[in-house]
PDB file of all heavy atoms in Angstrom:
ATOM      1  N   ARG A 286     -19.120  -6.571 -24.509  1.00 97.00           N
ATOM      2  CA  ARG A 286     -20.097  -5.585 -24.987  1.00 97.00           C
ATOM      3  C   ARG A 286     -19.307  -4.191 -24.987  1.00 97.00           C
ATOM      4  O   ARG A 286     -18.672  -3.719 -24.002  1.00 97.00           O
ATOM      5  CB  ARG A 286     -21.221  -5.419 -23.984  1.00 97.00           C
ATOM      6  CG  ARG A 286     -22.220  -6.662 -24.096  1.00 97.00           C
ATOM      7  CD  ARG A 286     -23.240  -6.569 -22.991  1.00 97.00           C
ATOM      8  NE  ARG A 286     -22.602  -6.995 -21.793  1.00 97.00           N
ATOM      9  CZ  ARG A 286     -23.257  -6.620 -20.521  1.00 97.00           C
ATOM     10  NH1 ARG A 286     -24.435  -6.100 -20.492  1.00 97.00           N
ATOM     11  NH2 ARG A 286     -22.722  -7.018 -19.420  1.00 97.00           N
ATOM     12  N   ARG A 287     -19.465  -3.447 -26.100  1.00 97.00           N
ATOM     13  CA  ARG A 287     -18.889  -2.109 -26.258  1.00 97.00           C
ATOM     14  C   ARG A 287     -19.809  -1.086 -25.507  1.00 97.00           C
ATOM     15  O   ARG A 287     -21.088  -1.214 -25.661  1.00 97.00           O
ATOM     16  CB  ARG A 287     -18.790  -1.778 -27.652  1.00 97.00           C
ATOM     17  CG  ARG A 287     -18.241  -0.372 -27.905  1.00 97.00           C
ATOM     18  CD  ARG A 287     -18.262  -0.019 -29.429  1.00 97.00           C
ATOM     19  NE  ARG A 287     -17.810   1.457 -29.643  1.00 97.00           N
ATOM     20  CZ  ARG A 287     -16.645   1.725 -30.129  1.00 97.00           C
ATOM     21  NH1 ARG A 287     -15.694   0.765 -30.201  1.00 97.00           N
ATOM     22  NH2 ARG A 287     -16.298   3.081 -30.328  1.00 97.00           N
ATOM     23  N   LEU A 288     -19.315  -0.275 -24.721  1.00 97.00           N
ATOM     24  CA  LEU A 288     -19.911   0.809 -24.026  1.00 97.00           C
ATOM     25  C   LEU A 288     -19.455   2.146 -24.513  1.00 97.00           C
ATOM     26  O   LEU A 288     -18.294   2.549 -24.241  1.00 97.00           O
ATOM     27  CB  LEU A 288     -19.690   0.694 -22.495  1.00 97.00           C
ATOM     28  CG  LEU A 288     -19.961  -0.585 -21.810  1.00 97.00           C
ATOM     29  CD1 LEU A 288     -19.613  -0.535 -20.327  1.00 97.00           C
ATOM     30  CD2 LEU A 288     -21.419  -0.921 -22.051  1.00 97.00           C
ATOM     31  N   ASP A 289     -20.289   2.844 -25.091  1.00 91.00           N
ATOM     32  CA  ASP A 289     -19.984   4.307 -25.601  1.00 91.00           C
ATOM     33  C   ASP A 289     -20.490   5.191 -24.397  1.00 91.00           C
ATOM     34  O   ASP A 289     -21.580   5.773 -24.560  1.00 91.00           O
ATOM     35  CB  ASP A 289     -20.626   4.605 -26.944  1.00 91.00           C
ATOM     36  CG  ASP A 289     -19.976   3.834 -28.144  1.00 91.00           C
ATOM     37  OD1 ASP A 289     -18.715   3.845 -28.193  1.00 91.00           O
ATOM     38  OD2 ASP A 289     -20.676   3.115 -28.787  1.00 91.00           O
ATOM     39  N   ALA A 290     -19.726   5.269 -23.356  1.00 94.00           N
ATOM     40  CA  ALA A 290     -20.121   5.986 -22.188  1.00 94.00           C
ATOM     41  C   ALA A 290     -18.922   6.490 -21.495  1.00 94.00           C
ATOM     42  O   ALA A 290     -17.804   6.050 -21.801  1.00 94.00           O
ATOM     43  CB  ALA A 290     -20.863   5.027 -21.274  1.00 94.00           C
ATOM     44  N   PRO A 291     -19.018   7.617 -20.726  1.00 97.00           N
ATOM     45  CA  PRO A 291     -17.994   8.154 -19.957  1.00 97.00           C
ATOM     46  C   PRO A 291     -17.463   7.103 -18.877  1.00 97.00           C
ATOM     47  O   PRO A 291     -18.104   6.076 -18.569  1.00 97.00           O
ATOM     48  CB  PRO A 291     -18.529   9.408 -19.355  1.00 97.00           C
ATOM     49  CG  PRO A 291     -19.972   9.144 -19.227  1.00 97.00           C
ATOM     50  CD  PRO A 291     -20.339   8.343 -20.387  1.00 97.00           C
ATOM     51  N   LEU A 292     -16.365   7.356 -18.354  1.00 97.00           N
ATOM     52  CA  LEU A 292     -15.621   6.463 -17.358  1.00 97.00           C
ATOM     53  C   LEU A 292     -16.492   6.131 -16.115  1.00 97.00           C
ATOM     54  O   LEU A 292     -16.557   5.014 -15.836  1.00 97.00           O
ATOM     55  CB  LEU A 292     -14.346   7.068 -16.980  1.00 97.00           C
ATOM     56  CG  LEU A 292     -13.553   6.259 -15.862  1.00 97.00           C
ATOM     57  CD1 LEU A 292     -13.259   4.955 -16.543  1.00 97.00           C
ATOM     58  CD2 LEU A 292     -12.252   6.972 -15.481  1.00 97.00           C
ATOM     59  N   THR A 293     -17.131   7.093 -15.636  1.00 96.00           N
ATOM     60  CA  THR A 293     -17.948   6.872 -14.441  1.00 96.00           C
ATOM     61  C   THR A 293     -19.138   5.836 -14.744  1.00 96.00           C
ATOM     62  O   THR A 293     -19.380   5.043 -13.893  1.00 96.00           O
ATOM     63  CB  THR A 293     -18.524   8.274 -13.887  1.00 96.00           C
ATOM     64  OG1 THR A 293     -19.156   8.845 -14.912  1.00 96.00           O
ATOM     65  CG2 THR A 293     -17.454   9.088 -13.343  1.00 96.00           C
ATOM     66  N   GLU A 294     -19.823   6.083 -15.944  1.00 97.00           N
ATOM     67  CA  GLU A 294     -20.851   5.164 -16.166  1.00 97.00           C
ATOM     68  C   GLU A 294     -20.372   3.797 -16.546  1.00 97.00           C
ATOM     69  O   GLU A 294     -20.921   2.773 -16.203  1.00 97.00           O
ATOM     70  CB  GLU A 294     -21.690   5.705 -17.363  1.00 97.00           C
ATOM     71  CG  GLU A 294     -22.375   6.971 -17.139  1.00 97.00           C
ATOM     72  CD  GLU A 294     -23.315   7.414 -18.318  1.00 97.00           C
ATOM     73  OE1 GLU A 294     -23.486   6.684 -19.195  1.00 97.00           O
ATOM     74  OE2 GLU A 294     -23.637   8.566 -18.303  1.00 97.00           O
ATOM     75  N   ALA A 295     -19.230   3.688 -17.241  1.00 97.00           N
ATOM     76  CA  ALA A 295     -18.571   2.402 -17.483  1.00 97.00           C
ATOM     77  C   ALA A 295     -18.233   1.699 -16.293  1.00 97.00           C
ATOM     78  O   ALA A 295     -18.355   0.452 -16.112  1.00 97.00           O
ATOM     79  CB  ALA A 295     -17.392   2.571 -18.532  1.00 97.00           C
ATOM     80  N   ALA A 298     -21.267   0.237 -14.708  1.00 97.00           N
ATOM     81  CA  ALA A 298     -21.619  -0.917 -15.328  1.00 97.00           C
ATOM     82  C   ALA A 298     -20.770  -2.258 -15.055  1.00 97.00           C
ATOM     83  O   ALA A 298     -21.190  -3.234 -14.860  1.00 97.00           O
ATOM     84  CB  ALA A 298     -21.575  -0.763 -16.949  1.00 97.00           C
ATOM     85  N   LEU A 310     -13.215  -4.349 -17.360  1.00 98.00           N
ATOM     86  CA  LEU A 310     -13.501  -3.261 -18.334  1.00 98.00           C
ATOM     87  C   LEU A 310     -12.142  -2.964 -19.154  1.00 98.00           C
ATOM     88  O   LEU A 310     -11.180  -2.650 -18.510  1.00 98.00           O
ATOM     89  CB  LEU A 310     -13.998  -2.089 -17.699  1.00 98.00           C
ATOM     90  CG  LEU A 310     -14.628  -1.051 -18.357  1.00 98.00           C
ATOM     91  CD1 LEU A 310     -15.998  -1.519 -18.939  1.00 98.00           C
ATOM     92  CD2 LEU A 310     -14.889   0.203 -17.410  1.00 98.00           C
ATOM     93  N   LEU A 311     -12.301  -3.234 -20.495  1.00 98.00           N
ATOM     94  CA  LEU A 311     -11.119  -3.029 -21.329  1.00 98.00           C
ATOM     95  C   LEU A 311     -11.217  -1.571 -21.969  1.00 98.00           C
ATOM     96  O   LEU A 311     -12.216  -1.179 -22.274  1.00 98.00           O
ATOM     97  CB  LEU A 311     -10.845  -4.082 -22.396  1.00 98.00           C
ATOM     98  CG  LEU A 311     -10.166  -5.394 -22.031  1.00 98.00           C
ATOM     99  CD1 LEU A 311     -10.719  -5.980 -20.751  1.00 98.00           C
ATOM    100  CD2 LEU A 311     -10.036  -6.204 -23.214  1.00 98.00           C
ATOM    101  N   ASP A 314      -8.866   2.221 -26.757  1.00 97.00           N
ATOM    102  CA  ASP A 314      -9.039   2.561 -28.150  1.00 97.00           C
ATOM    103  C   ASP A 314     -10.124   3.666 -28.270  1.00 97.00           C
ATOM    104  O   ASP A 314     -10.793   3.793 -29.336  1.00 97.00           O
ATOM    105  CB  ASP A 314      -9.488   1.340 -28.886  1.00 97.00           C
ATOM    106  CG  ASP A 314     -10.877   0.701 -28.418  1.00 97.00           C
ATOM    107  OD1 ASP A 314     -11.314   1.131 -27.275  1.00 97.00           O
ATOM    108  OD2 ASP A 314     -11.326  -0.183 -28.985  1.00 97.00           O
ATOM    109  N   GLY A 315     -10.497   4.446 -27.268  1.00 95.00           N
ATOM    110  CA  GLY A 315     -11.503   5.501 -27.248  1.00 95.00           C
ATOM    111  C   GLY A 315     -12.852   5.126 -26.731  1.00 95.00           C
ATOM    112  O   GLY A 315     -13.737   5.849 -26.784  1.00 95.00           O
ATOM    113  N   ALA A 316     -12.838   3.628 -26.415  1.00 96.00           N
ATOM    114  CA  ALA A 316     -14.186   3.192 -25.836  1.00 96.00           C
ATOM    115  C   ALA A 316     -13.935   2.323 -24.805  1.00 96.00           C
ATOM    116  O   ALA A 316     -12.829   2.048 -24.478  1.00 96.00           O
ATOM    117  CB  ALA A 316     -14.969   2.507 -27.027  1.00 96.00           C
ATOM    118  N   PHE A 317     -15.070   1.874 -24.097  1.00 98.00           N
ATOM    119  CA  PHE A 317     -14.917   0.811 -23.114  1.00 98.00           C
ATOM    120  C   PHE A 317     -15.606  -0.340 -23.467  1.00 98.00           C
ATOM    121  O   PHE A 317     -16.804  -0.369 -24.172  1.00 98.00           O
ATOM    122  CB  PHE A 317     -15.538   1.455 -21.699  1.00 98.00           C
ATOM    123  CG  PHE A 317     -14.836   2.644 -21.275  1.00 98.00           C
ATOM    124  CD1 PHE A 317     -15.320   3.807 -21.304  1.00 98.00           C
ATOM    125  CD2 PHE A 317     -13.691   2.478 -20.508  1.00 98.00           C
ATOM    126  CE1 PHE A 317     -14.766   4.888 -20.855  1.00 98.00           C
ATOM    127  CE2 PHE A 317     -12.999   3.572 -19.917  1.00 98.00           C
ATOM    128  CZ  PHE A 317     -13.534   4.871 -20.076  1.00 98.00           C
ATOM    129  N   HIS A 318     -14.960  -1.572 -23.175  1.00 98.00           N
ATOM    130  CA  HIS A 318     -15.586  -2.742 -23.494  1.00 98.00           C
ATOM    131  C   HIS A 318     -15.720  -3.734 -22.257  1.00 98.00           C
ATOM    132  O   HIS A 318     -14.730  -3.906 -21.522  1.00 98.00           O
ATOM    133  CB  HIS A 318     -14.524  -3.556 -24.458  1.00 98.00           C
ATOM    134  CG  HIS A 318     -14.212  -2.780 -25.645  1.00 98.00           C
ATOM    135  ND1 HIS A 318     -14.889  -2.715 -26.827  1.00 98.00           N
ATOM    136  CD2 HIS A 318     -13.106  -1.843 -25.838  1.00 98.00           C
ATOM    137  CE1 HIS A 318     -14.276  -1.876 -27.660  1.00 98.00           C
ATOM    138  NE2 HIS A 318     -13.374  -1.368 -27.148  1.00 98.00           N
ATOM    139  N   LEU A 319     -16.973  -3.984 -21.909  1.00 98.00           N
ATOM    140  CA  LEU A 319     -17.238  -4.774 -20.703  1.00 98.00           C
ATOM    141  C   LEU A 319     -17.146  -6.268 -21.057  1.00 98.00           C
ATOM    142  O   LEU A 319     -17.723  -6.735 -21.941  1.00 98.00           O
ATOM    143  CB  LEU A 319     -18.765  -4.399 -20.268  1.00 98.00           C
ATOM    144  CG  LEU A 319     -19.147  -5.192 -18.998  1.00 98.00           C
ATOM    145  CD1 LEU A 319     -18.350  -4.720 -17.792  1.00 98.00           C
ATOM    146  CD2 LEU A 319     -20.604  -4.788 -18.695  1.00 98.00           C
TER     147      LEU A 319
END
Side-chain angles (χ1 to χ4, degrees):
R286 290 174 287 166
R287 179 186 174 100
L288 304 178
D289 291 308
L292 176 60
T293 52
E294 293 182 18
L310 199 63
L311 272 54
D314 61 351
F317 295 102
H318 306 271
L319 184 60

